[in-house]
């Protein structure tokens, strides 16, 4: 009886899109206003999907209180009200696109969940754009 | 030309999470406020996905009037404004978690749809938590 | 510079609509399936509007951390995962309609907010039905 | 690192469901009020999913400015404020059901996207009914 | 204890914006693609607000079953799956803008509700545009 | 026949809450993580309400193409993908709270709309918090 549970969370952060190997002109050409040196920001909405087997004793796939706490520690405490480029070491050398943030969140959560769970992460940068990993 | 159609429905119900083999203290420890003996409740939102082939004569995968009627008979008439623990025989012996309710709805609808259709059910317990079966 | 700020919250609860002076038949006739003796429930969504003047020093009408804490103490801690009819003394003698719950929440929050603020409460019983007090 | 990005768009259009080989009575019997000869209409909401590999130089799967422009040219400019039955040659001979419109949009967008991308299209006819191709 | 209750409904319809006293060129200039002679359409979403006093016996402002039935008879049965310009006599001589449709719905519902209720109607033509009468 | 029309728009921006007359400790105490010196950001959602009389010739209160263009020029072009503290002169000396941003947007739009229109602005900082001016 393989099933999936989904849990939503959110955080607010600033970022800019930027490749340090490029000139400012090249950054502006590729990333447009997203490369504004003074940053801009988003209300990121996160949806975590966990797939696995239901425990017949509890009727739970996973205790959502535990999943909620892991998301709080690994995602919200780390990124909420932060600047991805300046405040998070991982993005000192990597461009904080939605794609890269989504993969990082997947990796952070995977390390905390047991291997009996399969994890998929969706990240909304705006209500009109979002990414999913793995596809 | 394999395609899927989705139809939404909803119902309001009361429940409590509870394992009859456990003490009240153990139930409270595992299920927290969800084990309140006086029940609490939800606006359950349901999304039924039916996958199959399009009929070239109608351009329909399935007539949504028929799907809507099956959902009404099997889900809404059975669960709307009911108490899962007290009013539905299936949950006299089973914990009415979202996972278990979702699997039951999947089984009830599958019996009514022809075998040419593949069925997936999503059930929202709150706007922030939902389950999907099969995953 | 009179402005308003809005803050959302939510809680899940069970209830039944019921007038103790009436027969079961009369209750069923007036309240329909909402009078089910075993209760049903809702994900109540709450929107609190506070109107007043902006403080020029902070640029805030009211510190939302404080408003959020008052809503938690007066509404969420009191009603979340509860049964309005059985768990809250106020509704032992009063019918827990959305109208009556909304007026009660308004009164509970008003006692905690200073008189410089004007308060309006919206309460969604379902995504399709809600009430507002005062109108 | 296979990932997916999603982009939303929308357009408003009129249509009627109709099979030219049938009598008006048969059309009314099968398609109900959707066969009204004077048409009715919808706010169609579109969600385009593109799956593939992230470019390590940009951190992008695909530049969303480009995807947005392709959707504008192939979908919005073609269908917005139009009548599917009268204004779009493709539906002179085909019933403009959500299923058939979704498959057409998939084909139009596929021709514009490189073969390194896998495309899935979701089309909402109403907030309660939608289709996805391929399933 | 003056309070308001809100009830949502929806219908799908076709229309075009058009002033019969103008040339086609003038209609196109003022109304743009909304003047397409072949029509386009919308999923109209309706929100009806009824304000008044709570009945202390029921705890209701108004029985929502009755309000729902009045909305069905006066709005949904009249406009759903119809063409405003061709199927509804009122708009043979009047432009079916959201403003004019909203005022008409207000008048139709007012005639059915008792004078003890104050009525406000909101009508969404798209998720991004809506009107309210009276303001 | 006084009516209101509503139009939605959105922009993404970075900001921090900060009073230059205070110590960093005092800023942190009052504004919490919102005072992060490296900024954070939001997807601001805007709803502009314009009230007035319907023009009997067009059936419009205001041509939404014109309103959309004014919002683009005064709000989106000015604030989208910007940092309120660093990029907009108005907030060099004023704290960019939602309250202050909302009043500024109201003033910018009022100067462009004729005096026959009454304007109200709602600004969402997150899906859970928003402000309205005037109240």
């Amino acid at each position: 009886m393989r099933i999936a549970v989904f849990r939503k969370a959110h955080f607010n952060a600033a970022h800019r899109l930027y490749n340090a190997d490029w000139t400012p002109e090249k950054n502006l050409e590729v990333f447009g206003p997203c490369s504004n040196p003074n940053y801009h920001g988003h209300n990121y909405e996160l949806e975590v999907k966990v797939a696995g087997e239901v425990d017949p004793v509890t009727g739970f796939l996973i205790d959502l209180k535990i999943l909620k706490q892991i998301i709080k520690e690994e995602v919200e405490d780390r990124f909420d009200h932060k600047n991805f480029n300046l405040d998070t070491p991982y993005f000192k050398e990597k461009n904080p696109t939605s794609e890269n943030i989504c993969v990082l969140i997947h990796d952070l959560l995977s390390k905390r969940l047991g291997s009996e769970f399969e994890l998929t992460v969706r990240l909304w940068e705006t209500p009109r754009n979002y990414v999913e990993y793995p596809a």
Side-chain angles (χ1 to χ4, degrees), chain A:
Chain A
M1 201 171 86
R2 191 167 181 80
I3 202 166
V5 300
F6 299 74
R7 172 78 197 168
K8 296 194 174 178
H10 48 263
F11 58 92
N12 311 320
H15 79 151
R16 67 176 297 211
L17 300 187
Y18 175 70
N19 183 324
D21 298 337
W22 292 351
T23 61
E25 291 72 25
K26 172 81 172 174
N27 271 290
L28 185 60
E29 182 197 325
V30 174
F31 295 121
C34 296
S35 67
N36 174 13
N38 287 335
Y39 311 99
H40 64 286
H42 298 291
N43 302 327
Y44 289 91
E45 298 281 333
L46 179 72
E47 188 181 85
V48 177
K49 176 187 179 183
V50 179
E53 299 290 325
V54 173
D55 177 340
V57 178
T58 59
F60 280 166
L61 171 73
I62 185 174
D63 185 336
L64 282 179
K65 286 192 301 293
I66 294 171
L67 180 58
K68 186 182 176 183
Q69 181 63 22
I70 291 175
I71 294 171
K72 181 184 179 297
E73 291 171 16
E74 295 297 336
V75 180
E76 293 172 338
D77 290 351
R78 194 185 302 261
F79 298 132
D80 191 34
H81 286 83
K82 296 289 170 58
N83 182 310
F84 276 112
N85 304 75
L86 300 179
D87 293 327
T88 63
Y90 183 87
F91 290 109
K92 303 254 167 179
E93 307 168 14
K94 221 180 171 82
N95 201 10
T97 59
S98 297
E99 289 91 332
N100 285 337
I101 299 170
C102 187
V103 171
L104 173 61
I105 290 174
H106 182 274
D107 292 350
L108 290 168
L109 295 176
S110 289
K111 283 181 191 145
R112 295 288 302 275
L113 285 169
S115 60
E116 71 271 32
F117 298 117
E118 184 188 2
L119 183 68
T120 308
V121 173
R122 282 190 171 183
L123 182 69
W124 277 256
E125 195 178 79
T126 75
R128 289 153 291 279
N129 298 333
Y130 66 99
V131 299
E132 180 183 77
Y133 178 77

